[in-house]
Amino acid sequence: MFLPRKILEMKLLALLAEDSGQGDITTDLVIPSNSTSNASIIAREAGVIAGIEEISVLLSSSGLRNRSLIADGSTVKAEQRILEIQGDTRTILSIERTALNIMSRMSGIATKTRRLKDELREAKLNTVLACTRKTAPGLGFFDKKAVFLGGGDTHRLHLDDLILIKDNHVAAAGNIGKALRKVKLRASFSKKIEIEVATLQDALGAAKLGVDIILLDNFKPGQIRKTVKTLEKEGLRRRVMLEASGGITSQNLLVFASTGVDIVSLGELTSNTKSLDLSLEILRT
Amino acid sequence: MFLPRKILEMKLLALLAEDSGQGDITTDLVIPSNSTSNASIIAREAGVIAGIEEISVLLSSSGLRNRSLIADGSTVKAEQRILEIQGDTRTILSIERTALNIMSRMSGIATKTRRLKDELREAKLNTVLACTRKTAPGLGFFDKKAVFLGGGDTHRLHLDDLILIKDNHVAAAGNIGKALRKVKLRASFSKKIEIEVATLQDALGAAKLGVDIILLDNFKPGQIRKTVKTLEKEGLRRRVMLEASGGITSQNLLVFASTGVDIVSLGELTSNTKSLDLSLEILRT
Amino acid sequence: MFLPRKILEMKLLALLAEDSGQGDITTDLVIPSNSTSNASIIAREAGVIAGIEEISVLLSSSGLRNRSLIADGSTVKAEQRILEIQGDTRTILSIERTALNIMSRMSGIATKTRRLKDELREAKLNTVLACTRKTAPGLGFFDKKAVFLGGGDTHRLHLDDLILIKDNHVAAAGNIGKALRKVKLRASFSKKIEIEVATLQDALGAAKLGVDIILLDNFKPGQIRKTVKTLEKEGLRRRVMLEASGGITSQNLLVFASTGVDIVSLGELTSNTKSLDLSLEILRT
Amino acid sequence: MFLPRKILEMKLLALLAEDSGQGDITTDLVIPSNSTSNASIIAREAGVIAGIEEISVLLSSSGLRNRSLIADGSTVKAEQRILEIQGDTRTILSIERTALNIMSRMSGIATKTRRLKDELREAKLNTVLACTRKTAPGLGFFDKKAVFLGGGDTHRLHLDDLILIKDNHVAAAGNIGKALRKVKLRASFSKKIEIEVATLQDALGAAKLGVDIILLDNFKPGQIRKTVKTLEKEGLRRRVMLEASGGITSQNLLVFASTGVDIVSLGELTSNTKSLDLSLEILRT
Amino acid sequence: MFLPRKILEMKLLALLAEDSGQGDITTDLVIPSNSTSNASIIAREAGVIAGIEEISVLLSSSGLRNRSLIADGSTVKAEQRILEIQGDTRTILSIERTALNIMSRMSGIATKTRRLKDELREAKLNTVLACTRKTAPGLGFFDKKAVFLGGGDTHRLHLDDLILIKDNHVAAAGNIGKALRKVKLRASFSKKIEIEVATLQDALGAAKLGVDIILLDNFKPGQIRKTVKTLEKEGLRRRVMLEASGGITSQNLLVFASTGVDIVSLGELTSNTKSLDLSLEILRT
Amino acid sequence: MFLPRKILEMKLLALLAEDSGQGDITTDLVIPSNSTSNASIIAREAGVIAGIEEISVLLSSSGLRNRSLIADGSTVKAEQRILEIQGDTRTILSIERTALNIMSRMSGIATKTRRLKDELREAKLNTVLACTRKTAPGLGFFDKKAVFLGGGDTHRLHLDDLILIKDNHVAAAGNIGKALRKVKLRASFSKKIEIEVATLQDALGAAKLGVDIILLDNFKPGQIRKTVKTLEKEGLRRRVMLEASGGITSQNLLVFASTGVDIVSLGELTSNTKSLDLSLEILRT
């Protein structure tokens, strides 16, 4: 998800503009126009930091010098310094909240993702831990980049980068076979095809018809296990990837991940988020 | 926070565009261009619904007829229908996720706010429950509207609608007195003035110098009680509003709210959010 | 009204784009691409200069070095140099008109505001001189910043930073009491409440019900005086600020300002404007 | 200057967004969401109305029905109704100020232009009355359309629709001859060529070299007369149009217009503007 | 590539705005504001029509009724009518050129794609005919949709929907193995992996390491045949798709397509384009 | 067509954003964040280069140093280097395709224009070679600038910079005379007037009524010759410019150009385009 600097800057400035209104009236009245400061962004709790590239572009674009002390995706302890800033005090104060909001949200998502990924690792499971499109509205880029930095899988970035045939598509087409035929007729060779199924029967059918990924929607762990076994028995298991989705939470993650699926996906990674506590501290010069 | 329909539409379309990419390739391949459907948005868990106005504008702008069954801010039970939609199936499917993401986040925020507000009410406290500027980046409008619909206070909407002198401003000016003097000299009569203090002494000083609101930053409940009493003793209590902020969570809310302050503010309302579980169900026609 | 540099730059570039069309065809044909120049912006008449920050950001963003010789809000004499520019001649020529239009309008507004503020001062009146929302469409930020630099009060910056209950709101609610009750029930603690009244009776009522500011709409000077006295007699004068608005012009300003109100507001400051005569002079190198 | 409706709408919504901020908080609190109203826009003083097309597009785009009682460019008397509106009360109130600001500015410009044009007509002069690029920044489209509706000439709309060689271009090229040669070598056949001159000598030279229009910059009326005569004597008068510019105001307009030039241009038409007094009156239903 | 109507409209209005400038001055002067017309878009030469959905959204958004007589992707003969339009004459005339430019370009691309696809079909080849990212700048969506409607494959829509490891990536990583290892470690399961190779040896290596698609870059037809055979001999042919790219033109297409590759891709489909000749004919009412 | 750097940058970034999606996923996975490279843009075939200014602004805006080895409008041989680039490898790779697409299209247009212009020159004809508004949608600026650099005439840049009365306008007005009268009554003095005619009779009529340019629409070469002669006979030839348009191609260009018209215009210059083959080669450091 590498974006040319200016394209990233445009995304970030749209976020900043929303908070700016007609300008920071307090700072304007209190801080002299020639005041400069040194400042640091500091973690108030331990976690995985994401958003350093974003904040760095945002600060630089407003003429603030800055230097990150750690890399995106690094773990920090409470009270650890993340980034040093130097420049116009009024600019620092008027950007502060937007910058912290971006990095806190991204770091919160990265931290949770990393914790769950670590749980999988400790359980000797190399199941892929994926997020879904249940992001904060408009923040798909930032939310998914945070999942990636935490060690998770970004799944679809847009509606255009994976063919994912869901229940509503199947229903409209009549059945799985008809939906797949329509797709295969004209889908670009460059895209994978995934299909959502609700029963073992459909999973078997889909595997036979040839898809890249089967999404087992709202399957109980037992059902998933049975599906995996049946596919193995039929010699179809290696042909497809299996994604379990629906009803998976940080609590029951290991149960689902140990069923033999390739991928577990959790909407919760981006829709049930706790921002990491960060703050910006100013040292006037 | 009433926005003319077209201005709200522009905000919503920016969110939709982010998810659309070069278009919904699955829907394009599977769903015929003349297919129409009836659909409903349904709550999968109980909560307070926010975002009906938003979703209605979003759907209408793409030519989908829609009718809300409840009003923004209403409580729903699990499996209750919220909104009915009628129109082009491909359009419904390609808007579905963005619409749900908006309403789920807003409803999650409104639900939490309402729960805490209810706790205050049951404790016979009419303390104002306010959010802060710790919103998802760029989503201040939606996050704060959700807090309002949940029964909370929106606090500052931008950096331009309340003069809030924080520690960094005070430090830059030298002391509270100097900072306030600068502000009073040129601040618009139309804005309230709030000042953040870290000690009882400063709270007292600020009250004497005349401000509209004093923010007691990271005060322990005991400190707050003492401050309230001291201000009462000095006859200054009625002149100012007192806001407690910092370290307040849904767990300790009642402790802080019962100290005698007018306002308690929690960043958590918008930075530690759990989206309400909603889904869109299609009934083909 | 301090905006982060890039947010201000975006506002300014929108203005520049409007004038650029598909490019400056004259400059393209006549001026060689490697020509550089020194230039100055010069006042052709005396006045108060506003817009230096804006022009500086605009010039710098296009790679032109520039140095202001005076500060925003300073007084200049006719033929005084304001700003020195150095860089690509074609860029200077293609930005010239937009830059002058911005600074001329802002300086014209600042000059008029300063003149009226000075009249008040000479009459020993410290009445606040406020503008209204009658700005050039879309130019609220620039017009109000110019009023501020001239010594005036910016009043509401948006529809979201002061609750101002006007006649139409009162009529919709039934009466002043009902309108105020609705507002007080849910208004954010962070906003002041102002109400527009048309009679002494209503002013009295509003003061009793508790509002921050009363707008005496289209009151004659005599009526205002009587209202002030009545409020004093009832012990209500100190509880509220009084704003006189409607029918006030630069001609009758002192009459209104000497009635005892706290604020006089004039739409004319931003809707009846004479741009200050400025020009850009090139010294080729 | 006919713009497709949606392109005009985009320009207008940008103006509306600037005033909206995070929404109209007063209207939100006081006016019920199902309230509808009839309203009228009324002239509070006599003048020429411009901006009806703009306001109509703006209102319609937000779902407000509206009907204009007069055509753009018509004269109205004080207290005459201009436009009738019907629809959602909250929408009307939150658009009111932006709509009035647009129409008031445009009508003020149209009124002044018409008055001066009428003065020329009464003096039996059919000199073209042109504006310049000295508009409010970013409002060139609206300002020039207003001049057109008032009976004036819009002059250049962008930097790309007329080749206008000014003093700085001439200086950079060396002299008038060299500048013209450069232009003629590559200028599009579709554009007229105008050149600014400071002396009779240069006017003569330019006419001989063949240009479409000569701008007599800051010529005194006597100088202009002499130039006209000299060109006539040399048989060059009919080959070129003559534009007088610089130092022309509403006061001395007739003196300049009676010198025999084809065009007089006044920056003042768009840079020294008095908005026409209009108001919006609501009749609740 | 199904886009919600409003998102498509925004893309189209950006194209229209570019051509509009400050408005259609001819139409404004000549056509009365209440004139309405019937008009048709007519093919002046035979071909495959693409862009009907686009033009329909563009026309409808400006209030013009319209009805398409054929479906997107249909073949037309010279002089066949494609679309009927009804509405405001001035609007029709000011949108005409932009609408025709969109549909002419898309139809030109679709026509060429269809012709080549038909040649493949006649030669009994079901090789995929793909375009590349060599589109007109900024027009990727429209160019690729036209290729799709012509029967071609859209290939990558963005830089984010297929992992395509090109020579520069391989060189930076050291060799194919290292590049692939890096990718496989963190690539999303939802994306296919394609790698560009320059020799048979590398193709073999890539197939063994496991990729989804191998791009044979600038291979001569003989080389491709040899590669296909070698992969078959090694039992690797069925594991990967093979794409031939570089040096393929409409002239030599069949030679390349008959080598046994799965996909041939031609930059020419979108970078060497001849717009289909269309015109808009007005029938005044 | 000189645009201030930042306005040009905004146009270019819009093109880049379209291709970027959520970011370059391949480059992100393979190229280390601290890798820097030297790269060159190289012509793979001979031609005229256009777009150097554009690419330079695009590269610089993303922090890539760059140096052009030739000037815009220069001729290059196959394998000649055009531009050298130095900087962050990931940035270079993610901008590469957009940059090449811009320069390839512009250079293809400039090359064709230059070739045709050279043919005219060799035939001793100094007829103006003009393009039309048949550009790629939204790319008018770039397409026309390329025509200019190739030696052609840009014709209208917008709908606002030349009054061009076409058949539909004439039909709406009734006849040529009526259309012209309407235009002359209110057209700005700053614009030329061109009228499209279909018969010698109308050409004659238009010349008598006084227009700047007559467009002979779809005239056969013989008809054009006859029109030229008739106008000469009537002493009207020198009063107007004559533009031949419709049915002119690179094949029959000389036939039309030698009829005695001043201007020949070809839609083909921008609607039947073959991008010049360019590539970007990386030299890692």
Side-chain angles (χ1 to χ4, degrees), chain E residues 19 22 133 160 171 182 284, chain F residues 19 22 133 160 171 284:
Chain E
D19 188 45
Q22 300 286 40
R133 278 171 54 240
D160 67 13
K182 279 189 160 194
R284 250 151 319 271
Chain F
D19 188 46
Q22 299 286 39
R133 278 170 55 238
D160 67 12
R284 252 152 318 272

Side-chain angles (χ1 to χ4, degrees), chain A:
Chain A
M1 301 178 71
F2 177 79
L3 279 181
R5 184 184 192 73
K6 274 284 160 177
I7 304 297
L8 180 54
E9 188 186 301
M10 290 194 301
K11 280 181 187 281
L12 294 164
L13 291 177
L15 304 180
L16 179 58
E18 202 265 351
D19 187 46
S20 298
Q22 300 287 38
D24 184 342
I25 53 176
T26 313
T27 292
D28 198 19
L29 295 171
V30 180
I31 312 289
S33 67
N34 59 352
S35 160
T36 59
S37 298
N38 289 322
S40 302
I41 293 184
I42 299 168
R44 292 300 176 208
E45 56 180 323
V48 175
I49 298 303
I52 289 180
E53 185 180 1
E54 280 66 31
I55 297 324
S56 174
V57 166
L58 183 60
L59 296 170
S60 301
S61 81
S62 277
L64 299 173
R65 275 193 294 284
N66 58 90
R67 197 169 65 88
S68 56
L69 306 172
I70 58 167
D72 258 325
S74 306
T75 305
V76 293
K77 298 180 192 161
E79 306 312 321
Q80 190 172 332
R81 280 192 307 155
I82 299 166
L83 198 97
E84 288 176 339
I85 306 168
Q86 209 279 326
D88 179 57
T89 310
R90 301 204 296 183
T91 302
I92 294 174
L93 289 175
S94 61
I95 293 184
E96 172 182 357
R97 187 73 259 148
T98 300
L100 290 178
N101 282 351
I102 294 169
M103 193 184 264
S104 296
R105 178 170 177 90
M106 290 183 73
S107 299
I109 291 173
T111 300
K112 182 175 196 171
T113 305
R114 181 72 55 84
R115 180 170 59 76
L116 297 183
K117 190 70 192 166
D118 285 346
E119 287 181 17
L120 290 173
R121 210 166 277 146
E122 281 156 30
K124 311 279 185 213
L125 293 164
N126 57 7
T127 323
V128 169
L129 176 69
C131 61
T132 68
R133 280 171 54 240
K134 294 186 182 173
T135 64
L139 297 178
F141 173 81
F142 300 104
D143 283 8
K144 292 196 166 241
K145 187 167 171 185
V147 167
F148 178 82
L149 289 169
D153 189 295
T154 52
H155 216 302
R156 275 202 287 187
L157 298 174
H158 288 297
L159 282 170
D160 67 12
D161 61 348
L162 168 71
I163 292 164
L164 178 36
I165 307 169
K166 309 197 89 175
D167 53 352
N168 284 320
H169 297 106
V170 170
N175 59 45
I176 284 184
K178 286 183 185 163
L180 266 173
R181 223 165 301 137
K182 281 189 160 193
V183 161
K184 292 197 161 183
L185 204 62
R186 288 306 313 279
S188 172
F189 74 91
S190 62
K191 312 285 181 271
K192 288 193 175 174
I193 300 174
E194 176 166 15
I195 194 161
E196 183 180 299
V197 300
T199 66
L200 193 162
Q201 237 20 58
D202 279 352
L204 214 63
K208 282 177 184 161
L209 290 163
V211 294
D212 296 296
I213 314 161
I214 296 174
L215 187 154
L216 308 172
D217 186 40
N218 281 313
F219 276 46
K220 298 264 158 60
Q223 272 182 292
I224 300 178
R225 270 203 194 80
K226 199 167 158 191
T227 305
V228 171
K229 267 182 205 150
T230 314
L231 286 171
E232 280 169 351
K233 217 183 310 172
E234 303 271 341
L236 296 163
R237 178 66 186 89
R238 305 195 114 202
R239 283 206 207 158
V240 292
M241 297 186 82
L242 294 178
E243 174 182 0
S245 192
I248 311 181
T249 65
S250 30
Q251 274 73 43
N252 62 27
L253 173 67
L254 291 183
V255 183
F256 278 91
S258 56
T259 55
V261 289
D262 303 293
I263 305 134
V264 285
S265 57
L266 287 83
E268 182 188 314
L269 285 181
T270 51
S271 70
N272 183 349
T273 61
K274 191 185 159 308
S275 294
L276 199 73
D277 193 4
L278 307 174
S279 70
L280 184 147
E281 210 164 72
I282 289 211
L283 305 158
R284 250 151 319 271
T285 55

Side-chain angles (χ1 to χ4, degrees), chain C:
Chain C
M1 302 178 70
F2 177 79
L3 279 180
R5 183 183 193 75
K6 275 283 162 179
I7 303 297
L8 181 54
E9 188 185 301
M10 291 195 300
K11 279 181 188 281
L12 294 164
L13 291 176
L15 305 181
L16 180 58
E18 202 265 352
D19 188 46
S20 299
Q22 299 287 39
D24 184 341
I25 52 176
T26 312
T27 293
D28 198 19
L29 295 170
V30 180
I31 312 289
S33 67
N34 59 353
S35 159
T36 58
S37 298
N38 289 322
S40 302
I41 293 185
I42 299 169
R44 291 302 175 208
E45 55 179 325
V48 174
I49 298 304
I52 289 180
E53 185 178 2
E54 280 66 31
I55 298 323
S56 175
V57 166
L58 183 61
L59 296 170
S60 302
S61 80
S62 276
L64 299 173
R65 274 192 296 285
N66 58 89
R67 197 168 64 89
S68 56
L69 306 172
I70 56 165
D72 258 326
S74 304
T75 304
V76 293
K77 297 178 193 164
E79 307 313 319
Q80 190 172 332
R81 281 193 306 155
I82 299 167
L83 199 96
E84 288 177 338
I85 306 169
Q86 209 279 326
D88 181 57
T89 310
R90 302 205 294 183
T91 302
I92 294 173
L93 289 175
S94 61
I95 293 183
E96 173 182 356
R97 188 72 260 148
T98 301
L100 290 179
N101 282 350
I102 294 169
M103 194 185 263
S104 296
R105 179 172 175 87
M106 288 182 74
S107 299
I109 291 173
T111 301
K112 183 176 195 170
T113 306
R114 180 72 55 84
R115 179 169 59 76
L116 296 183
K117 191 69 192 165
D118 285 347
E119 287 182 17
L120 290 173
R121 212 166 277 146
E122 281 157 30
K124 312 281 186 210
L125 292 164
N126 58 6
T127 322
V128 169
L129 176 69
C131 61
T132 69
R133 280 171 54 240
K134 293 185 181 174
T135 64
L139 297 177
F141 174 80
F142 300 104
D143 283 7
K144 293 198 166 236
K145 188 167 170 185
V147 166
F148 179 80
L149 289 169
D153 188 297
T154 52
H155 216 302
R156 275 202 286 186
L157 298 174
H158 288 299
L159 282 170
D160 67 12
D161 60 348
L162 167 72
I163 292 164
L164 176 37
I165 307 169
K166 308 197 90 176
D167 52 353
N168 285 320
H169 297 105
V170 170
N175 59 46
I176 285 184
K178 286 182 186 163
L180 266 173
R181 223 165 301 136
K182 280 188 160 194
V183 162
K184 291 198 161 181
L185 204 62
R186 289 305 314 279
S188 171
F189 74 89
S190 62
K191 312 284 182 272
K192 287 193 176 175
I193 300 173
E194 177 167 15
I195 193 159
E196 184 180 301
V197 300
T199 65
L200 194 162
Q201 236 22 54
D202 279 351
L204 214 65
K208 282 176 185 160
L209 290 162
V211 293
D212 295 297
I213 313 162
I214 296 174
L215 187 154
L216 308 173
D217 186 39
N218 281 312
F219 276 46
K220 297 263 159 58
Q223 272 182 292
I224 300 178
R225 271 202 193 85
K226 198 168 160 191
T227 306
V228 171
K229 267 182 206 152
T230 312
L231 286 170
E232 279 169 351
K233 218 183 307 173
E234 303 273 339
L236 297 163
R237 179 65 186 89
R238 306 195 113 202
R239 282 205 207 160
V240 292
M241 296 186 83
L242 294 179
E243 174 182 0
S245 193
I248 312 182
T249 66
S250 28
Q251 274 73 42
N252 62 26
L253 173 67
L254 292 183
V255 180
F256 279 91
S258 55
T259 55
V261 288
D262 302 293
I263 307 136
V264 285
S265 57
L266 286 83
E268 182 188 313
L269 285 181
T270 51
S271 69
N272 182 350
T273 61
K274 190 183 160 309
S275 295
L276 197 73
D277 194 4
L278 307 173
S279 71
L280 184 147
E281 209 163 73
I282 290 211
L283 305 159
R284 252 153 317 274
T285 55

